[in-house]
Amino acid sequence: MSAAMNNVCFVIFTCLVAFSAAALAASNLNQEVDVTWGDGRGKILNNGELLTLSLDQTSGSGFQSKNEYLFGKIDMQIKLVQGNSAGTVTAYYLSSQGATHDEIDFEFLGNLSGDPYILHTNVFSQGKGSREQQFYLWFDPTADFHTYSILWNPQRIIFSVDGTPIREFKNPESLGVPYPKNQPMRIYSSLWNADDWATRGGLVKTDWTKAPFTASYRNFNANACTASSSSSSSSCSSTSQSGSNAWLTEELDATRQERLKWAQKNYMIYNYCTDAKRFPQGYPKECALNA
């Protein structure tokens, strides 16, 4: 077993490397996720090829992955709420449970028709978050499906949109800052009403005459270590054609670093690591690595 693999095998987990050719096909969402709330507002359709979440004035809806993951490369294609989505939030994230939970967030903040969505990202470690970066997108995320990806390995977390990295969060443990690495996390997604804060700080409220609001999902793929609480083990499987687990040590090459700079220069609208008013006594320690 490689040194990289040893890094992710903890006392309660035994990592097994496996390659499944069947995983190369598009996933069946019936086998991957459970709709967990919404009283019928969340639906898996087309023999597992499509999932929709809906929000009306009574309730939103949500789903979670059947599996927990300890590191992985997670992809999902999402088409966001069309039209006037002000007040709505479509959240798509990895999270563990409890007061000291870890979490890796995509949140899509709705807006008035014609105004851009805001893509909000955050990273929690040991219950501490407040590491926000926000972006506009270079396309209309309501017109078609686009791929939103989280790469999470022992060294870094990379958020990508259609293969373009928009954010990298490097492991800051050398600075005394915790990093998500010990708690398995599930994928969660929800569509809910947040008109007290989501759109222009809560100034624009949800227009319920436009309900129901609907977000759609397809082509979920988890190239990841799957953690099993029942057997206290973790199975690391790869869906790459080489059968390798290259994502465990993946980093941005020069081309992707340039794409990251392009996205941040042109589309980033907020970075907590440059918010001097918020941190008058100095920026958080991890900003030295992740500015």
Side-chain angles (χ1 to χ4, degrees):
M1 185 177 289
S2 68
M5 288 295 291
N6 284 327
N7 286 336
V8 302
C9 296
F10 301 100
V11 174
I12 61 171
F13 295 107
T14 301
C15 289
L16 303 173
V17 179
F19 172 64
S20 173
L24 292 172
S27 63
N28 183 331
L29 288 164
N30 282 306
Q31 298 172 1
E32 300 286 357
V33 305
D34 293 312
V35 175
T36 48
W37 64 282
D39 194 23
R41 292 171 179 82
K43 303 179 187 298
I44 300 178
L45 307 167
N46 300 350
N47 296 315
E49 292 183 359
L50 179 70
L51 186 151
T52 60
L53 296 181
S54 293
L55 164 70
D56 58 32
Q57 199 161 5
T58 301
S59 178
S61 51
F63 68 84
Q64 69 181 46
S65 61
K66 293 180 184 290
N67 292 320
E68 290 184 302
Y69 306 106
L70 187 64
F71 302 124
K73 193 171 186 178
I74 313 293
D75 305 314
M76 179 71 89
Q77 290 192 322
I78 306 173
K79 182 165 68 173
L80 297 176
V81 173
Q82 294 182 314
N84 181 358
S85 58
T88 72
V89 172
T90 305
Y92 175 68
Y93 59 102
L94 280 160
S95 183
S96 59
Q97 299 297 308
T100 58
H101 75 291
D102 296 335
E103 191 171 319
I104 304 169
D105 292 342
F106 278 116
E107 288 187 295
F108 303 90
L109 312 185
N111 222 322
L112 294 169
S113 298
D115 288 346
Y117 260 84
I118 292 175
L119 171 51
H120 175 100
T121 67
N122 205 349
V123 176
F124 287 74
S125 55
Q126 294 295 305
K128 181 185 182 301
S130 300
R131 300 183 175 108
E132 302 93 345
Q133 289 185 359
Q134 294 182 337
F135 304 82
Y136 289 140
L137 294 165
W138 49 94
F139 52 83
D140 178 358
T142 75
D144 203 350
F145 287 90
H146 292 268
T147 303
Y148 302 92
S149 306
I150 295 169
L151 170 72
W152 168 39
N153 68 28
Q155 298 84 33
R156 58 187 42 81
I157 296 162
I158 299 172
F159 298 78
S160 298
V161 178
D162 287 340
T164 293
I166 61 169
R167 178 177 186 178
E168 180 180 25
F169 184 85
K170 296 176 182 176
N171 184 333
E173 289 179 305
S174 63
L175 304 175
V177 178
Y179 178 78
K181 70 173 189 179
N182 295 311
Q183 300 185 70
M185 296 194 276
R186 291 186 193 274
I187 288 285
Y188 295 89
S189 190
S190 58
L191 175 57
W192 52 291
N193 179 44
D195 67 3
D196 57 335
W197 66 270
T199 306
R200 299 180 188 171
L203 294 177
V204 182
K205 302 300 182 182
T206 304
D207 181 357
W208 293 112
T209 67
K210 307 297 184 184
F213 305 97
T214 301
S216 302
Y217 303 76
R218 70 182 187 190
N219 291 345
F220 172 74
N221 184 57
N223 185 358
C225 298
T226 302
S228 172
S229 56
S230 60
S231 61
S232 297
S233 65
S234 173
S235 174
C236 294
S237 63
S238 172
T239 61
S240 69
Q241 292 187 1
S242 66
S244 71
N245 287 280
W247 57 266
L248 279 170
T249 55
E250 184 174 332
E251 57 187 83
L252 296 176
D253 60 18
T255 300
R256 296 181 72 207
Q257 287 176 0
E258 288 302 311
R259 292 294 291 171
L260 174 69
K261 291 176 183 177
W262 171 84
Q264 294 193 341
K265 177 182 177 180
N266 292 287
Y267 296 100
M268 179 186 282
I269 58 173
Y270 178 78
N271 181 2
Y272 79 111
C273 282
T274 61
D275 190 342
K277 290 183 178 179
R278 182 176 173 187
F279 300 106
Q281 304 304 315
Y283 297 120
K285 290 181 180 179
E286 70 271 10
C287 291
L289 291 174
N290 296 295

